[in-house]
Amino acid sequence: MARRPRKKAEWMRRWQLKKLTVIKDSLSTHWQERYNQLVNEFGDIEISDVSPKRLGIAISVGLVSPKSDLELESLSIEELVDFLKTWQPNSTNYWEFDEPSRSGLGDALARIAEKNPQRYAQAASQFQGLHPTYLSHLLRGLRQALNNHSQQGQIEEFNWTSVLSLCNWIAEKSEELNENQAFYDEPNNNWLEPCRTVVDLIGVVLRVNAIAIPFDFRNQVWDILRLLTQHPDPTPEREMGYHSSNHDYSNLAINTVRGEAMHTVVRYALWVRRHFEQLPESAEQLQRGFDEMPEVRQVLDEHLNLEQEPSLAIRSVYGQWFPWLVLLDPLWANQSVAKIFTQDESYGNLRLVAWESYITYCDTYNNIFDLLYEEYSYRVEQLNSTEIEEQRLTVINENLIEHLMTFYWRGKLNLDDAGGLLTRFFELASDQLRGYGIEFVGRSLKNTQNEVDPQILSTLQLLWEKRLEIARNSTGISSYATELTAFGWWFGSGKLDDFWSLTQLKEIIDLVGKVEPDFLILDRLVLLADSMPELTAECFELMIKKDKPGWSRYGWQNETKTILSKLIKSSSVKAKQIADNIIQELGRRGNWEYRELLPERRSK
């Protein structure tokens, strides 16, 4: 009996149920709810029924073309367009996996366009009116060809007039469908993909100088972007169904038409700015900012209007690009910062999303810190907030801490400023977060290849000494354990004064029993055993004594032997005696292999 073709939506839900069944024991709350809905609709599926073979076949759906690449390449453009217009998939067996499909034909079209971009760019406008699947694949092939040539310079004779004509037609078509309220009805929802591909193509060529669109096409490029910034995707319904602990709205923005179009608006503005930089009167034009590109200012202002644009995904774009918006027009950014990071409590989510994207994707810039000082202060006060899922909150706070530590060693934050950002951070943050801050500084020191400015080192030493003093005078040293043990990264960096570092290391081990990471500490002690044997010996002896369970020393065997050997050979009587004591202690714990070092020492 022939199987009746399923509707696409039903088939997709069944496919999703199979995928979720495989990982049903590790689903997040959001996806667990989705899985339960699908089970209620279709019933349980046994994992044994979801075989790799079946899943592999499902992945290959739609990859069969009715003609080979060679056959398609042999057609003239007119013949190819006519074939794409007239060919129809076998509707009776539409969901049979081995049947040719539009997706398969589209993949083939993308391959031949990538292989010969000049030919298909020249003819791009002739593809207007075709099924949206073919249009998205054609543009994807051209975009990939441009990517391939990004390191080799411009593609010769690439016809931007024809390509932009097709892109503009797609943008206008999507607007027409939206106005008719048919955009999300089958089969019109397929127009989402061509629109995304248009934005992706333009975004790629605007940010890579080697393949950039000639500036003469500025108006045509903007006309396309302008239309796509008004696209309905993402809809409020999509945003409501998107949020989970594993996603943020920045990810949603780059996977939607309007979101990616707004990203590309900023890339467009930077493209215009780069053009101005090459002109003789560049300084004057750059200073005028958005006065030289009022179209950009208009769109940015429109989408900051809460009545017009309530989307969280779109707001994330402003946070992610904030430093570049300041670069483009400092006056506009200064006037708009209160809108981007709105303090209206009824729109708190917009503020949070803008901050999250900023602190996640943006580096530390001194001028940006000055503009966003109040926002940094607000976020420090919110360190223990529960408004964000724990997983995302940890990442956001860690990024905030990295910014604070960087601004501190640059001199933008004062350690002695009562009620200041750094003071409030250490007052409010948990031991884990404080420890992350200390570790970040140590990692940064270690990753610095060149010499570190002595003034920065002095500033960091003051920070550490104050933190150690506070911990030393506290009633419960355990509440500072993570923060103190993170000093190991500072010590292991080798950037700080050796005597000072060893002195701090010894006190920390004495206070909390360990310092991490031990592999860095041991590597550094191996080096210091020659120049500072006594302090090295004292620190290493403490590490051995405090390692009461004894597990760590089994991973220290090579370093232990090297350190003890150097200490025994040193000219310091005290260092030799401590090394002897360590060997005896290790022997009492059953580690006899170090006793072989003693005869060598005594013979001298």
Side-chain angles (χ1 to χ4, degrees):
M1 182 175 178
R3 179 168 60 87
R4 295 176 62 187
R6 302 187 185 113
K7 293 180 180 180
K8 180 181 178 181
E10 179 185 340
W11 186 90
M12 287 298 294
R13 293 198 303 277
R14 288 183 180 274
W15 176 86
Q16 193 175 60
L17 175 59
K18 290 181 180 180
K19 288 288 189 179
L20 294 177
T21 298
V22 177
I23 57 173
K24 64 181 181 179
D25 294 329
S26 57
L27 294 174
S28 65
T29 302
H30 170 76
W31 284 109
Q32 185 66 52
E33 292 175 356
R34 178 60 176 161
Y35 171 76
N36 293 337
Q37 291 172 356
L38 294 170
V39 168
N40 290 336
E41 182 177 1
F42 299 112
D44 277 317
I45 295 179
E46 295 295 329
I47 293 182
S48 59
D49 293 334
V50 191
S51 67
K53 181 177 179 181
R54 289 179 181 271
L55 292 176
I57 291 175
I59 292 172
S60 68
V61 171
L63 297 182
V64 179
S65 172
K67 286 184 180 291
S68 68
D69 292 8
L70 288 175
E71 289 175 319
L72 293 174
E73 287 178 301
S74 68
L75 300 176
S76 68
I77 293 296
E78 291 75 15
E79 290 171 333
L80 175 60
V81 170
D82 184 63
F83 177 72
L84 294 173
K85 281 182 179 179
T86 57
W87 183 81
Q88 294 291 327
N90 186 342
S91 58
T92 303
N93 297 314
Y94 188 78
W95 293 109
E96 290 295 337
F97 301 138
D98 295 331
E99 290 292 319
S101 66
R102 288 196 179 97
S103 294
L105 181 52
D107 276 350
L109 178 61
R111 288 192 296 271
I112 63 176
E114 178 184 350
K115 184 178 178 182
N116 189 356
Q118 294 92 337
R119 182 190 189 208
Y120 296 97
Q122 178 73 30
S125 61
Q126 297 181 49
F127 288 77
Q128 294 178 15
L130 293 181
H131 192 279
T133 298
Y134 303 138
L135 300 180
S136 59
H137 280 84
L138 171 67
L139 293 177
R140 191 173 300 138
L142 295 177
R143 183 212 60 185
Q144 188 58 48
L146 290 167
N147 264 339
N148 296 342
H149 286 75
S150 63
Q151 303 301 320
Q152 306 168 20
Q154 288 275 13
I155 296 179
E156 296 180 3
E157 299 179 2
F158 194 86
N159 192 317
W160 282 109
T161 300
S162 183
V163 172
L164 292 177
S165 175
L166 175 60
C167 291
N168 189 75
W169 183 86
I170 292 171
E172 290 180 340
K173 181 69 173 178
S174 68
E175 183 182 47
E176 173 191 332
L177 292 169
N178 179 45
E179 289 176 353
N180 293 332
Q181 297 182 342
F183 195 86
Y184 290 100
D185 297 334
E186 288 282 3
N188 291 322
N189 62 355
N190 290 320
W191 285 94
L192 279 172
E193 194 57 33
C195 290
R196 291 190 191 119
T197 311
V198 167
V199 179
D200 187 31
L201 171 65
I202 293 176
V204 166
V205 297
L206 287 182
R207 64 178 178 260
V208 181
N209 286 331
I211 55 172
I213 300 174
F215 197 70
D216 292 343
F217 291 99
R218 175 180 175 177
N219 290 338
Q220 292 94 315
V221 169
W222 181 254
D223 289 342
I224 296 166
L225 280 181
R226 174 66 171 157
L227 286 171
L228 295 178
T229 60
Q230 300 169 350
H231 197 280
D233 180 43
T235 62
E237 293 77 17
R238 183 174 182 187
E239 288 206 352
M240 289 178 62
Y242 176 83
H243 184 71
S244 76
S245 60
N246 296 321
H247 297 89
D248 61 52
Y249 286 99
S250 297
N251 289 330
L252 177 61
I254 63 174
N255 287 291
T256 59
V257 178
R258 191 166 80 260
E260 187 60 20
M262 290 300 294
H263 277 288
T264 307
V265 164
V266 184
R267 296 187 183 108
Y268 165 89
L270 293 170
W271 172 65
V272 173
R273 178 185 169 87
R274 288 197 300 272
H275 172 75
F276 290 159
E277 288 173 346
Q278 300 171 8
L279 301 178
E281 304 297 328
S282 62
E284 184 178 345
Q285 287 180 295
L286 295 176
Q287 190 174 10
R288 287 198 292 265
F290 288 153
D291 286 343
E292 287 287 343
M293 40 185 126
E295 67 276 21
V296 173
R297 177 168 51 205
Q298 180 181 355
V299 165
L300 291 176
D301 286 341
E302 286 176 355
H303 290 273
L304 278 179
N305 185 329
L306 298 177
E307 294 181 359
Q308 177 177 328
E309 182 62 270
S311 168
L312 295 171
I314 302 306
R315 184 54 58 95
S316 75
V317 177
Y318 289 84
Q320 186 168 339
W321 285 101
F322 188 71
W324 289 269
L325 295 173
V326 174
L327 171 69
L328 289 164
D329 194 319
L331 178 60
W332 178 90
N334 187 49
Q335 294 172 340
S336 302
V337 64
K339 296 179 182 178
I340 296 172
F341 302 92
T342 178
Q343 296 183 20
D344 187 334
E345 293 185 1
S346 59
Y347 295 100
N349 285 337
L350 289 170
R351 181 182 190 178
L352 174 60
V353 165
W355 171 257
E356 181 178 357
S357 59
Y358 164 75
I359 203 67
T360 300
Y361 295 102
C362 298
D363 207 341
T364 49
Y365 301 97
N366 289 354
N367 63 324
I368 305 302
F369 176 73
D370 294 334
L371 268 177
L372 293 183
Y373 183 87
E374 289 187 11
E375 194 65 22
Y376 275 101
S377 180
Y378 175 77
R379 291 304 160 185
V380 167
E381 297 297 326
Q382 297 293 311
L383 275 173
N384 297 316
S385 171
T386 57
E387 63 180 321
I388 316 173
E389 291 87 345
E390 183 176 352
Q391 179 181 352
R392 286 174 53 222
L393 178 61
T394 300
V395 174
I396 294 170
N397 283 342
E398 287 177 354
N399 291 332
L400 168 61
I401 294 165
E402 292 178 10
H403 280 224
L404 294 178
M405 293 298 124
T406 303
F407 287 129
Y408 167 69
W409 74 58
R410 288 182 184 174
K412 297 291 290 183
L413 291 175
N414 190 338
L415 185 62
D416 297 322
D417 183 9
L421 282 184
L422 210 57
T423 302
R424 290 297 290 160
F425 163 70
F426 281 111
E427 288 175 352
L428 295 172
S430 65
D431 183 32
Q432 286 70 30
L433 290 178
R434 298 194 309 269
Y436 181 82
I438 297 300
E439 178 181 326
F440 170 74
V441 173
R443 285 180 180 272
S444 299
L445 287 170
K446 181 169 176 55
N447 293 333
T448 301
Q449 299 298 321
N450 302 322
E451 292 291 325
V452 180
D453 186 331
Q455 182 59 47
I456 292 178
L457 294 179
S458 177
T459 299
L460 293 176
Q461 286 183 209
L462 285 175
L463 169 64
W464 174 256
E465 288 169 357
K466 182 166 185 175
R467 295 308 305 160
L468 181 58
E469 179 184 6
I470 291 173
R472 190 191 298 123
N473 295 330
S474 69
T475 56
I477 195 68
S478 61
S479 60
Y480 291 86
T482 303
E483 182 180 358
L484 294 179
T485 57
F487 179 79
W489 290 97
W490 295 43
F491 181 80
S493 73
K495 297 295 194 302
L496 298 153
D497 178 78
D498 291 339
F499 178 80
W500 182 86
S501 298
L502 282 167
T503 303
Q504 306 305 307
L505 181 71
K506 181 181 176 182
E507 182 168 1
I508 298 163
I509 300 172
D510 195 37
L511 283 172
V512 296
K514 63 177 181 177
V515 184
E516 295 179 349
D518 56 5
F519 68 91
L520 278 184
I521 296 163
L522 291 169
D523 288 345
R524 189 72 186 148
L525 289 177
V526 167
L527 296 176
L528 293 175
D530 294 319
S531 58
M532 308 192 76
E534 291 185 12
L535 261 178
T536 299
E538 290 173 358
C539 289
F540 191 53
E541 183 179 32
L542 269 177
M543 289 179 69
I544 296 294
K545 286 182 177 180
K546 295 289 184 176
D547 180 34
K548 293 181 179 179
W551 296 110
S552 296
R553 66 177 182 270
Y554 288 107
W556 301 349
Q557 289 180 339
N558 292 334
E559 292 85 355
T560 298
K561 185 172 289 187
T562 302
I563 292 170
L564 291 175
S565 178
K566 287 188 174 188
L567 295 178
I568 288 171
K569 294 176 182 178
S570 76
S571 58
S572 169
V573 175
K574 183 177 180 180
K576 291 179 180 180
Q577 183 58 54
I578 294 174
D580 187 287
N581 294 341
I582 293 172
I583 292 171
Q584 297 296 340
E585 174 64 24
L586 290 173
R588 284 192 291 272
R589 297 186 186 185
N591 301 106
W592 309 104
E593 63 269 26
Y594 302 108
R595 288 196 170 187
E596 65 185 30
L597 299 174
L598 291 175
E600 176 183 349
R601 177 183 67 81
R602 289 171 179 161
S603 65
K604 296 185 179 294

